[in-house]
Amino acid sequence: MATNHEILGRNEVDDLEAILAITNSDVDEVQHLVQSNGDAIFTWDYDRSRPALGKLYERAKKSQWNAQTDLPWDTDVDQEHVVLENALANNMTFGSELDTKGTPFEKWGDAEWLAFGVQSQNWTLSQFLHGEQGALICTAKVVETVPWIDAKYYAATQVMDEARHVEVFSRYLDTKLEGHYPVNPALQLLIDDIIGDSRWDMTYMGMQIMVEGLALAAFGFMHQVTEEPLLKKLLRYVMADEARHVAFGVLSLQEYYAGLGAAELRERQEFAFEAALRMRDRLMMHRVWETMGVDRRTVTEFLLGVRRMRNNPFQAALFSKIVPNCKKLGLLDAGDGWLRQKFGELGVLEYEDWEDTGAEYERMQLEQKAAG
Ligand SMILES: [Fe+2]
Ligand SMILES: [Fe+2]
């Protein structure tokens, strides 16, 4: 039975010092090396015995798009203008929904919130870019380590999808925005853990379910909010791929988990909990605040406070996907319901009956069909 300390390196999930201690030391290096564990598995069983995966593979082949020719790259992007337009169109007033009394942003005016809007977009798209590279590497690993031929076929199409996603976000950042951010340390820590784990299903759980589940929610939110036509179209294309990826994860893991015992399922629950917390830490975007002249400690204290509010937007974005997906996989209530208890302590069980990503994918398919 692992403790919080063993899973997260801290006893209290909101331990301020421990959260501040997570930093990445090699942001100035061109490369980051991770030990990849796990056996490359050959299978001599070429039988197409998993028709649902086969169907997904056929769909993936038909849904390929070309990042260079299918998107309107000649669109002019004026970032400040876009931030203002988005705010206007969505009726958002910066900072107004939070109680900023006694904080460094209490005195922020429109100019500061505008600058923050630009920086946070640079940061968010940078994390999309780095996360997509994580997905590229993880999916290449899945091709090697998954024992089923149908899953190897499908995963190979996903490698192509992820390469295209890295390509589009990289081009968008390079040619339309000003300023990149390095990978967030909590995200890097999670991806390193996923790659380092030798069990093939943990790559799926970490990447296909947790990271991609959150990415889909984040892309969906930005797609809804942005008035910038190139980014809107780019996100719509990427989301169609991502929904398929999560569906691939859910299909594969449902089958695999059905054959696992209580102790093995408990390890999966602990990993889901770890991944959820890493992603929650990531949402604090420390570097953006530092760029804005607000120190990490102050903003972390503030956000930990906000997090305890009910219905806070940071929490909703993350857990409204993760909790239903864990439930769909049977992890929420497996064994003695350990994960239900942990998510209960975080106050996020209200999302358990929200739409899971598998159902969302089916719905998106139907909507696409209806739209012709
Ligand atoms: Fe992707
Ligand atoms: Fe993906």
Side-chain angles (χ1 to χ4, degrees):
M1 297 282 139
T3 60
N4 275 355
H5 197 268
E6 284 158 339
I7 298 171
L8 302 169
R10 60 194 201 237
N11 289 324
E12 296 300 325
V13 294
D14 284 346
D15 182 334
L16 179 67
E17 299 305 327
I19 292 171
L20 290 173
I22 302 172
T23 52
N24 31 6
S25 49
D26 59 354
V27 288
D28 296 325
E29 305 287 336
V30 176
Q31 295 182 338
H32 169 74
L33 305 186
V34 193
Q35 179 67 44
S36 171
N37 296 304
D39 295 328
I41 300 181
F42 278 79
T43 175
W44 308 129
D45 177 2
Y46 294 102
D47 265 356
R48 305 297 301 275
S49 53
R50 293 179 173 79
L53 287 180
K55 223 167 115 187
L56 216 51
Y57 176 50
E58 291 307 313
R59 229 180 255 169
K61 286 191 281 186
K62 277 189 257 155
S63 309
Q64 296 295 310
W65 47 281
N66 186 333
Q68 299 300 327
T69 54
D70 289 336
L71 293 172
W73 288 108
D74 55 355
T75 307
D76 265 336
V77 178
D78 173 343
Q79 242 192 313
E80 289 196 352
H81 180 74
V82 170
V83 170
L84 289 172
E85 285 275 288
N86 294 352
L88 211 65
N90 294 281
N91 226 343
M92 297 186 299
T93 345
F94 293 116
S96 64
E97 66 274 28
L98 300 174
D99 179 9
T100 54
K101 227 176 167 158
T103 70
F105 13 91
E106 183 183 359
K107 295 193 184 70
W108 277 16
D110 290 348
E112 285 82 6
W113 284 112
L114 177 61
F116 174 76
V118 168
Q119 290 306 323
S120 71
Q121 199 194 26
N122 290 344
W123 182 88
T124 304
L125 284 160
S126 296
Q127 302 316 316
F128 288 172
L129 170 68
H130 305 311
E132 291 294 354
Q133 188 182 169
L136 173 64
I137 288 173
C138 283
T139 322
K141 186 179 171 183
V142 166
V143 174
E144 291 187 336
T145 58
V146 68
W148 311 329
I149 198 70
D150 285 305
K152 286 184 190 290
Y153 290 161
Y154 180 82
T157 68
Q158 190 179 330
V159 173
M160 185 61 226
D161 293 348
E162 304 300 3
R164 189 169 50 236
H165 299 173
V166 177
E167 184 190 352
V168 287
F169 285 118
S170 175
R171 182 165 175 186
Y172 192 84
L173 274 153
D174 268 346
T175 61
K176 304 297 172 186
L177 304 186
E178 275 165 42
H180 284 206
Y181 280 85
V183 64
N184 172 270
L187 176 63
Q188 183 71 67
L189 200 62
L190 174 59
I191 295 177
D192 288 1
D193 270 3
I194 295 170
I195 295 170
D197 204 295
S198 61
R199 296 160 292 189
W200 68 264
D201 69 293
M202 293 298 203
T203 319
Y204 268 89
M205 145 79 94
M207 184 48 69
Q208 309 288 123
I209 305 296
M210 306 301 279
V211 178
E212 306 214 271
L214 172 63
L216 196 53
F219 296 157
F221 179 73
M222 192 178 269
H223 176 261
Q224 197 187 335
V225 164
T226 193
E227 296 288 305
E228 199 282 272
L230 167 60
L231 184 60
K232 216 175 176 74
K233 189 161 186 191
L234 182 161
L235 288 168
R236 189 170 60 76
Y237 272 64
V238 172
M239 281 165 67
D241 292 343
E242 296 302 350
R244 205 168 50 236
H245 302 167
V246 184
F248 170 53
V250 170
L251 267 178
S252 307
L253 290 184
Q254 271 181 325
E255 174 180 340
Y256 186 66
Y257 286 173
L260 292 185
E264 291 162 314
L265 283 173
R266 172 61 180 268
E267 289 170 9
R268 274 74 187 167
Q269 290 176 312
E270 288 170 0
F271 195 67
F273 179 66
E274 179 196 338
L277 263 292
R278 297 281 179 235
M279 290 193 291
R280 197 177 75 151
D281 292 349
R282 163 195 163 185
L283 291 177
M284 291 195 232
M285 45 177 164
H286 286 145
R287 272 183 185 265
V288 173
W289 298 104
E290 280 174 347
T291 305
M292 294 299 299
V294 181
D295 80 15
R296 285 153 45 91
R297 177 174 298 273
T298 310
V299 80
T300 306
E301 268 172 343
F302 174 70
L303 290 175
L304 285 174
V306 171
R307 234 151 55 170
R308 290 186 202 99
M309 292 174 354
R310 270 187 67 78
N311 299 330
N312 91 61
F314 303 95
Q315 196 119 290
L318 176 57
F319 289 97
S320 62
K321 291 291 163 192
I322 287 177
V323 180
N325 286 346
C326 286
K327 187 171 183 174
K328 176 86 173 265
L329 291 174
L331 283 183
L332 195 58
D333 293 300
D336 57 2
W338 179 86
L339 191 59
R340 173 177 289 281
Q341 187 200 325
K342 291 306 241 188
F343 280 164
E345 288 166 15
L346 293 177
V348 298
L349 281 176
E350 63 190 288
Y351 304 114
E352 68 169 297
D353 292 320
W354 285 41
E355 185 177 44
D356 66 79
T357 307
E360 185 181 19
Y361 176 64
E362 293 304 323
R363 182 172 54 77
M364 283 170 69
Q365 287 288 119
L366 288 175
E367 284 169 2
Q368 264 176 12
K369 251 190 212 147

